[in-house]
């Protein structure tokens, strides 16, 4: 989860300008893109658009009518249909994220929409926009970039997960967790053990492809993994929770197992017991997906393009758990932070 540095500017309700040097799209072409948390300070073009603005940290977002900007030669104007809601958006608005924009700002990391206008100097497909086929609805595509991009980098690029291995996924009914269950089960062909906080979420994860599930609020995660794996442990852990759940998951690794940390939804950042790294020859690694945009863009872009391809082929099926209107953005945030969400929460900009 991350914020890009591209400048995003509004042009009308639910639309944005992108400052890009390499874009070529036909008008009205369907696409998805990655947004920047931004502050608009340029001259008013006479038009305006609505945005949910963070005017004060730890306070509800405020809907404001903001001036839009004239289209520059190297920019593309995009009509935004849907935006994804991520836990990182909440952290940014609390001042708790690793990258913090100046105040006031509009949060947001991903969107789907169509091209409205292209500047005269725009000549190639942009690094921040990816075309989506007509077979993928806008709302489904909005669930792809951050969640599935993170999962693909974590399980495929970092953990090098192999077919037939056993993968333990924590927070397995959340946006990233359910994407991990989907991808690990149907693309990587692994055996998935899903760990969640309710029986209902466990059932959902099994429906999504997990071979077994564990409710870690009523059962001991470590002991249940032992039972399910005949004391062998799991080959890979995808952890988005942290805290004691991370510790139990880490202890559940098999010989030469790998644990990938993608977040700390539980709020507590654990320490890694280095002696276990040695004794069991295991590896602990992290995935800060957005950092790849600056460090290794081909890998970053490939994670998104792969997600689109798998979705077009029907190999993955993103779950949109809730849809809110822009006017309900604070309710959408609460839905995510109170752990009520299953799958992706998105904002309908229309």
């Amino acid at each position: 989860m991350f914020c890009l540095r591209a400048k995003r500017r509004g042009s009308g309700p639910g639309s944005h300008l992108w400052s890009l040097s390499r874009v070529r799209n036909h008008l009205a072409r369907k696409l998805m893109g990655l947004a920047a948390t931004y502050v608009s300070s340029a001259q008013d073009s006479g038009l305006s658009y609505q945005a949910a603005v963070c005017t004060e940290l730890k306070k509800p977002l405020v809907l404001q009518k903001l001036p839009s900007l004239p289209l520059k030669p190297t920019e593309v104007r995009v009509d935004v249909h849907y935006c994804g809601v991520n836990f990182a958006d909440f952290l940014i608005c609390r001042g708790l994220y690793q990258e913090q924009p100046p105040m006031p700002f509009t949060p947001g990391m991903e969107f789907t929409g169509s091209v409205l206008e292209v500047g005269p100097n725009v000549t190639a497909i942009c690094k921040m926009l990816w075309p989506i086929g007509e077979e993928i609805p806008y709302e489904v595509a909005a669930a792809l970039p951050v969640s599935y991009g993170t999962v693909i980098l974590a399980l495929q690029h970092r953990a090098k997960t192999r077919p037939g291995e056993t993968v333990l996924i924590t927070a397995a009914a959340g946006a990233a967790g359910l994407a991990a269950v989907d991808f690990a089960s149907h693309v990587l062909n692994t055996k998935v053990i899903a760990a969640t906080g309710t029986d209902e979420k466990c059932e959902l994860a099994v429906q999504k492809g997990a071979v077994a599930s564990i409710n870690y609020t009523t059962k001991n995660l470590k002991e249940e993994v032992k039972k399910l794996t005949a004391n062998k442990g799991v080959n890979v852990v995808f952890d988005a929770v942290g805290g004691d759940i991370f510790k139990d998951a880490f202890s559940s690794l098999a010989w030469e197992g790998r644990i990938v940390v993608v977040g700390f939804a539980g709020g507590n950042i654990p320490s890694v017991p280095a002696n276990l790294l040695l004794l069991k020859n295991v590896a602990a690694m992290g995935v800060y997906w957005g950092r790849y945009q600056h460090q290794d863009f081909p890998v970053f872009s490939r994670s998104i393009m792969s997600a689109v391809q798998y979705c077009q082929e029907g190999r993955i099926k993103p779950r949109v758990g809730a849809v809110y209107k822009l006017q309900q953005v604070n309710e959408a945030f609460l839905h995510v932070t109170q752990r009520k969400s299953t799958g992706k929460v998105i904002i309908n900009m229309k």
Side-chain angles (χ1 to χ4, degrees):
M1 297 179 284
F2 74 113
C3 293
L4 294 177
R5 299 181 184 277
K7 295 180 181 178
R8 185 180 68 175
R9 304 180 174 90
S11 63
S15 59
H16 301 287
L17 280 177
W18 282 88
S19 180
L20 308 166
S21 60
R22 300 192 304 110
V23 183
R24 184 176 68 83
N25 272 300
H26 298 294
L27 295 182
R29 186 177 184 183
K30 285 180 69 174
L31 53 83
M32 68 181 186
L34 300 172
T37 301
Y38 74 101
V39 180
S40 179
S41 59
Q43 184 178 358
D44 188 348
S45 68
L47 300 174
S48 62
Y49 68 103
Q50 265 200 328
V53 181
C54 180
T55 58
E56 185 178 353
L57 296 178
K58 302 180 182 180
K59 297 293 183 180
L61 298 180
V62 179
L63 289 184
Q64 293 185 354
K65 197 172 185 179
L66 300 178
S68 61
L69 307 178
L71 187 69
K72 293 182 179 180
T74 58
E75 291 182 331
V76 172
R77 197 184 306 275
V78 177
D79 181 23
V80 177
H81 289 225
Y82 291 90
C83 297
V85 178
N86 295 284
F87 190 71
D89 297 321
F90 167 76
L91 294 178
I92 291 169
C93 293
R94 301 282 293 181
L96 300 175
Y97 200 59
Q98 49 260 46
E99 295 182 12
Q100 202 64 31
M103 303 288 294
F105 62 88
T106 299
M109 296 186 177
E110 57 191 344
F111 67 86
T112 54
S114 57
V115 174
L116 289 177
E117 189 178 357
V118 177
N121 294 345
V122 174
T123 60
I125 292 178
C126 157
K127 292 173 67 174
M128 305 299 181
L129 299 175
W130 290 262
I132 54 177
E134 292 298 325
E135 64 271 24
I136 305 179
Y138 283 112
E139 60 269 29
V140 172
L144 289 174
V146 174
S147 296
Y148 279 87
T150 298
V151 165
I152 290 170
L153 271 186
L155 294 180
Q156 196 168 54
H157 179 72
R158 294 288 281 142
K160 302 290 192 296
T161 310
R162 297 181 292 272
E165 290 192 311
T166 301
V167 180
L168 172 64
I169 298 169
T170 66
L178 206 58
V181 172
D182 192 14
F183 179 71
S185 299
H186 302 120
V187 177
L188 297 180
N189 297 314
T190 64
K191 301 172 184 176
V192 173
I193 298 174
T196 74
T198 71
D199 290 341
E200 292 76 16
K201 290 181 178 180
C202 283
E203 183 179 347
L204 175 62
V206 170
Q207 292 173 0
K208 202 64 176 173
V211 298
S213 63
I214 302 169
N215 181 343
Y216 44 57
T217 61
T218 59
K219 296 179 180 179
N220 183 285
L221 179 61
K222 184 177 177 180
E223 293 303 317
E224 290 301 312
V225 169
K226 285 183 179 179
K227 294 177 185 177
L228 291 170
T229 63
N231 289 320
K232 295 178 181 178
V234 297
N235 305 107
V236 177
V237 173
F238 178 93
D239 181 53
V241 179
D244 291 337
I245 297 300
F246 168 88
K247 295 176 183 177
D248 285 347
F250 183 78
S251 298
S252 300
L253 284 173
W255 174 260
E256 292 192 339
R258 295 87 73 199
I259 186 168
V260 189
V261 177
V262 300
F264 309 102
N268 296 319
I269 300 176
S271 298
V272 177
N275 62 313
L276 292 184
L277 295 174
L278 175 68
L279 294 175
K280 297 175 72 174
N281 275 31
V282 298
M285 58 192 76
V287 168
Y288 177 13
W289 179 66
R291 188 66 179 271
Y292 278 87
Q293 189 254 331
H294 305 291
Q295 298 292 332
D296 194 340
F297 187 81
V299 169
F300 174 78
S301 182
R302 191 160 56 245
S303 72
I304 298 175
M305 292 188 294
S306 295
V308 173
Q309 178 184 338
Y310 295 141
C311 190
Q312 289 174 332
E313 294 171 350
R315 299 175 69 185
I316 58 172
K317 294 180 172 60
R319 173 186 169 87
V320 175
V323 181
Y324 289 86
K325 301 292 287 186
L326 181 61
Q327 294 77 7
Q328 301 171 303
V329 63
N330 291 304
E331 295 175 41
F333 269 40
L334 282 175
H335 193 72
V336 172
T337 58
Q338 292 178 353
R339 302 183 184 181
K340 295 178 180 178
S341 60
T342 55
K344 194 74 174 187
V345 175
I346 61 175
I347 302 292
N348 184 348
M349 300 295 290
K350 298 298 183 181

